[in-house]
Amino acid sequence: MDEAKPFDIPKREVWEAFKKVKANQGAAGVDGQSIADFEADLANNLYKLWNRLSSGSYFPPPVRRVDIPKADGGTRPLGIPTVADRVAQEVARRYLEPRLEPVFHADSYGYRPGRSAIDAVRQAHQRCWRYDWVLDLDVKAYLHLADRRSMPCAKLISAVGATTGCSIST
């Protein structure tokens, strides 16, 4: 690993992340680059991505918006990231998931491996017969609205940083 890089990301991690992205397939993002196009210059593309990730200079490009039809006749927007950004996201997932998964509450279902919205509904249904109250928290909205320097928010950010080993600026 190059000592000048602030983030220790093995090149092998970027390669493994690409293999997962390739296996999942998917459409091209805003740059129009398909997985096959990305693979045509694979070594260079993976090196550039590794270099930006490990130096801390990676910034994700915009996502391509596609409207997906809904059963009621409406649509919902779907963001399609570029192939390189999907690889970068997979690198981050491979680092964060094993560190964060053990500290999640057993009743947390969103975006967790082996858990689904159906599991959450099943659990809520069972609890409706045992309890007569509900607690619903929207952490995303809280973090969006909260002053990141406020005491509760700063403690949350500090805990995330300590758990992941990442420095998070407030």
Side-chain angles (χ1 to χ4, degrees), residues 26-34 61-68 76-83 85-86:
V30 293
D31 60 0
Q33 186 179 46
S34 68
V63 297
R64 181 168 64 99
R65 179 184 168 141
V66 175
D67 289 321
I68 305 297
R76 72 172 179 87
L78 176 68
I80 301 176
T82 63
V83 174
D85 193 42
R86 292 199 313 260

Side-chain angles (χ1 to χ4, degrees), residues 1 13 36 40 50 63 66 70 75 77 82 93 98 106 113 117 149-150 169:
M1 183 21 228
E13 282 298 312
W50 168 80
V63 297
V66 175
K70 290 173 40 175
T75 61
T82 63
R93 187 200 63 79
R149 294 164 299 200
S150 71
S169 61

Side-chain angles (χ1 to χ4, degrees), residues 65-134:
R65 179 184 168 141
V66 175
D67 289 321
I68 305 297
K70 290 173 40 175
D72 66 2
T75 61
R76 72 172 179 87
L78 176 68
I80 301 176
T82 63
V83 174
D85 193 42
R86 292 199 313 260
V87 174
Q89 289 176 32
E90 179 62 16
V91 168
R93 187 200 63 79
R94 290 171 59 88
Y95 176 83
L96 292 171
E97 191 171 273
R99 289 164 175 80
L100 295 177
E101 200 49 40
V103 297
F104 271 103
H105 191 278
D107 287 339
S108 177
Y109 291 91
Y111 304 100
R112 304 257 320 269
R115 293 172 178 246
S116 69
I118 299 298
D119 296 328
V121 170
R122 184 179 300 115
Q123 185 63 264
H125 185 259
Q126 290 173 356
R127 296 231 172 101
C128 284
W129 295 104
R130 288 189 283 171
Y131 304 103
D132 59 359
W133 54 270
V134 172

